[in-house]
């Protein structure tokens, strides 16, 4: 290794695979010497990736504002630009490389601008090495396990260190009491677990996010109660496999117990993502029958409809098990809306396997799906699986799948024709003046005319025109 690089702390995917470290629960403490580091300075954060990243960016913004930074309305004015990155597929990474190329121009006029990269990508040593070699103007690189250390890193840069590059292979802690600058004032993300232990063979997340670890129930309940006191109407509980909540803790308190406790906090709407078909137990399904606040909507990734492919993906369930969960959910709540994730062209997927996926899509009647072509991720088992599906064939499968999925979207929308639905209003729609938008209980995007006073409230809207991607309606006083 190049001697001059030795002070940098690089992660290692092989080490990350091991589940070595013990989890410590700690409080966030801000050292006095960092408290005015950002005074007079402005920041921007660009977030890529899943809800976990969005929630992390809210924490990073909270930390930065705690040390005196203010948000730059325009990126030209920023003294610090951070990219919170995603490593899930190759195109997610390519966007970041492109963006770093674009942001370089600002360094010319503003040599002191700190350009930083954090989140899932720096958990891959390949990425850290590429930044070291090809992006010398990126001066701050840190991962998912240490983003709360940002004040220390900014301090070190202000003291003259040229580059701070620090990403760990292991997690080690759950940090509570982190400052948060939430994007919204009526709905909030709430992490319930961090990391993932599933090791689906295609997926990089167990390496970039580390061992599955649950927050303590009292911390989660206290956070939700605090949100209720501040007028929040909705929480979305976050975890890569929320159904595994509590399995790493002592005692037999599980996800359904948490849902029942949160149901009593006074929060109006509870959502969660993502669910895992293997761990979706009957007690959780039962909550859909009894709870007033758990919304009638589930995102349940299928990935493939072929048992052979599911096995190769290490998903831990069969299509029969998947369909059983769906049947029980519909039994518990007949109007439930279900969406999914599907990967096509996974190594060895044949036309017959793919047809099995289409068959399940038809059978379940998904009201939406995120669909992807398999993207090999270095360091995961599936990276080295032989794959002789051509790009043309993969695209063809994706198109056929999407055509079917889009029909499901429209069918899901049509269910609400002439119905009055409850909408939590997010704000004005970006496209049209005077048009508000928000989400219904079934997680449908609803647009309707109304005034500013409705933002943040749950209002009744009668659906007049269901479209594929959203519903149009009229406000009912
Ligand atoms: N923990 C969640 C979300 C993981 S990432 C879950 O298990 O569903 C979101 C989706 O990205 C996954 O559901 C999967 O469909 C897709 N995905 C993950 N890795 C991928 C890869 N290497 N190539 C293509 N799609 C992938
Ligand atoms: Fe990835 Fe599977 Fe974990 Fe989801 S459950 S994050 S797909 S390893
Ligand atoms: Fe991407 Fe990391 Fe989320 S890889 S999908 S941002 S956990």
């Amino acid at each position: 290794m190049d001697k001059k690089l030795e002070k940098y702390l690089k992660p290692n995917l092989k080490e990350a695979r091991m589940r070595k470290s013990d989890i410590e629960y700690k409080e966030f403490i801000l050292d006095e010497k960092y408290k005015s580091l950002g005074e007079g300075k402005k920041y921007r954060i660009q977030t890529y990736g899943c809800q976990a990243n969005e929630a992390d960016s809210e924490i990073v913004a909270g930390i930065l504002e705690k040390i005196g930074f203010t948000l730059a309305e325009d990126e030209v004015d920023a003294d610090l630009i951070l990219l919170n990155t995603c490593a899930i597929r190759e195109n997610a990474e390519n966007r970041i490389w492109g963006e770093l190329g674009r942001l370089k121009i600002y360094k010319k006029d503003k040599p002191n601008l700190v350009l930083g990269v954090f989140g899932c990508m720096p958990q891959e040593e390949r990425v850290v090495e590429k930044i070291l070699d090809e992006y010398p103007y990126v001066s701050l690189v840190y991962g998912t396990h240490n983003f709360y250390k940002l004040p220390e890193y900014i301090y070190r840069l202000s003291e003259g260190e040229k580059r701070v590059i620090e990403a760990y292979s292991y997690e080690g802690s759950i940090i509570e009491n982190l400052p948060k600058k939430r994007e919204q004032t009526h709905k909030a993300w709430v992490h319930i677990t961090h990391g993932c232990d599933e090791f689906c063979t295609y997926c990089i997340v167990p390496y970039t996010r580390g061992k599955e670890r649950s927050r303590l129930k009292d911390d989660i309940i206290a956070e939700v109660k605090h949100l209720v006191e501040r007028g929040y109407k909705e929480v979305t509980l976050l975890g890569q496999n929320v159904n595994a909540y509590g399995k790493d803790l002592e005692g037999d308190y599980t996800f359904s117990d948490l849902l029942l406790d949160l149901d009593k906090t006074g929060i109006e709407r509870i959502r969660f993502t993502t669910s895992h078909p293997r761990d979706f137990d009957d007690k959780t399904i039962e909550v859909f029958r009894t709870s007033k606040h758990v919304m009638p909507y589930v995102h349940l990734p299928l990935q493939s409809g072929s048992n052979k492919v599911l096995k190769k993906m290490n998903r831990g369930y069969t299509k029969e098990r998947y369909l059983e969960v769906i049947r029980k959910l519909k039994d518990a709540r007949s109007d439930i809306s279900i969406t999914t994730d599907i990967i096509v062209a996974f190594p060895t997927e044949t036309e017959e396997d793919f047809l099995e996926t289409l068959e399940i899509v038809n059978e379940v009647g998904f009201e939406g799906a995120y669909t992807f072509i398999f993207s090999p991720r270095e360091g995961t088992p599936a990276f080295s699986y032989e794959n002789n599906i051509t790009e043309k064939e993969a695209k063809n499968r994706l198109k056929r799948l999407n055509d079917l999925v889009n029909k499901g979207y429209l069918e899901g929308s049509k269910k609400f024709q002439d119905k009055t639905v409850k909408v939590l209003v997010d704000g004005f729609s970006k496209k049209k003046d005077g048009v508000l938008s928000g989400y219904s209980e079934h997680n449908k995007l609803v647009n309707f005319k109304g005034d500013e006073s409705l933002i943040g409230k749950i209002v009744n809207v009668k659906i007049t025109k269901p479209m594929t991607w959203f519903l149009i309606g009229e406000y009912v006083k």
Side-chain angles (χ1 to χ4, degrees), residues 268-294:
E268 303 224 23
R269 294 176 157 198
I270 302 170
R271 302 188 187 278
F272 50 83
T273 197
T274 305
S275 296
H276 195 294
R278 191 199 56 217
D279 296 333
F280 213 116
D281 60 13
D282 289 352
K283 274 167 73 189
T284 304
I285 292 170
E286 210 41 42
V287 176
F288 282 89
R289 207 189 294 274
T290 53
S291 157
K292 288 192 201 69
H293 306 293
V294 171

Side-chain angles (χ1 to χ4, degrees), residues 50 87-90 196 198 200 202-205 239-241 273-276 299-303 315 340-344 370-377 380:
C50 64
I88 200 83
R89 284 170 291 274
E90 194 183 357
C196 183
E198 299 306 326
C200 302
Y202 50 80
C203 186
I204 195 77
V205 174
Q240 297 301 338
N241 171 3
T273 197
T274 305
S275 296
H276 195 294
H299 181 71
L300 192 64
L302 167 70
Q303 311 302 3
R315 286 290 288 177
T340 198
D341 289 349
I342 294 168
I343 297 174
V344 300
Y370 295 107
T371 56
F372 313 100
I373 292 176
F374 166 68
S375 169
R377 308 311 295 139
T380 65

Side-chain angles (χ1 to χ4, degrees), residues 19 21-25 56 123 143-148 168-176 191-197 205-216 220 238-241 244-249:
R19 294 310 198 223
S21 56
D22 285 332
I23 302 305
E24 283 177 275
Y25 290 79
D56 289 349
Q123 292 300 136
T144 56
H145 301 312
N146 53 338
F147 64 83
Y148 64 95
Y168 314 143
S169 305
Y170 302 118
E171 49 298 319
S173 350
I174 288 195
I175 315 288
E176 291 295 344
H191 277 296
I192 63 166
T193 65
H194 299 281
C196 183
D197 279 348
V205 174
Y207 307 81
T208 64
R209 292 262 166 190
K211 169 156 119 178
E212 190 168 81
R213 51 219 193 271
S214 302
R215 286 179 70 199
L216 301 177
I220 300 168
L238 297 181
Q240 297 301 338
N241 171 3
Y245 175 79
K247 290 189 175 169
D248 55 319
L249 299 175

Side-chain angles (χ1 to χ4, degrees), residues 118-304:
F118 75 107
C120 287
M121 274 171 71
Q123 292 300 136
E124 304 170 284
E125 60 263 49
R126 170 177 57 80
V127 165
V128 175
E129 267 148 27
K130 182 162 166 150
I131 293 175
L132 282 170
D133 292 346
E134 296 173 33
Y135 298 85
Y137 54 94
V138 172
S139 46
L140 180 54
V141 179
Y142 59 106
T144 56
H145 301 312
N146 53 338
F147 64 83
Y148 64 95
K149 290 192 176 175
L150 182 57
E152 178 200 315
Y153 301 149
I154 294 174
Y155 178 77
R156 281 164 51 185
L157 289 170
S158 73
E159 289 288 288
E161 252 182 78
K162 286 270 171 300
R163 301 178 98 181
V164 173
I165 303 214
E166 200 163 308
Y168 314 143
S169 305
Y170 302 118
E171 49 298 319
S173 350
I174 288 195
I175 315 288
E176 291 295 344
N177 262 351
L178 286 157
K180 287 187 189 95
K181 188 195 180 207
R182 298 201 189 258
E183 280 287 315
Q184 309 266 17
T185 51
H186 57 284
K187 61 181 192 186
W189 308 117
V190 176
H191 277 296
I192 63 166
T193 65
H194 299 281
C196 183
D197 279 348
E198 299 306 326
F199 290 101
C200 302
T201 52
Y202 50 80
C203 186
I204 195 77
V205 174
Y207 307 81
T208 64
R209 292 262 166 190
K211 169 156 119 178
E212 190 168 81
R213 51 219 193 271
S214 302
R215 286 179 70 199
L216 301 177
K217 75 173 202 292
D218 290 346
D219 290 325
I220 300 168
I221 296 168
E223 182 172 347
V224 174
K225 280 188 177 158
H226 186 55
L227 288 165
V228 173
E229 280 161 21
R230 286 157 59 209
Y232 277 80
K233 303 275 192 306
E234 179 178 299
V235 292
T236 301
L237 310 178
L238 297 181
Q240 297 301 338
N241 171 3
V242 288
N243 306 86
Y245 175 79
K247 290 189 175 169
D248 55 319
L249 299 175
E250 273 174 33
D252 50 13
Y253 190 90
T254 59
F255 183 54
S256 56
D257 300 309
L258 181 67
L259 286 178
L260 291 175
D261 277 340
L262 294 177
D263 213 35
K264 292 182 248 162
T265 55
I267 193 80
E268 303 224 23
R269 294 176 157 198
I270 302 170
R271 302 188 187 278
F272 50 83
T273 197
T274 305
S275 296
H276 195 294
R278 191 199 56 217
D279 296 333
F280 213 116
D281 60 13
D282 289 352
K283 274 167 73 189
T284 304
I285 292 170
E286 210 41 42
V287 176
F288 282 89
R289 207 189 294 274
T290 53
S291 157
K292 288 192 201 69
H293 306 293
V294 171
M295 291 293 102
Y297 165 73
V298 173
H299 181 71
L300 192 64
L302 167 70
Q303 311 302 3
S304 167

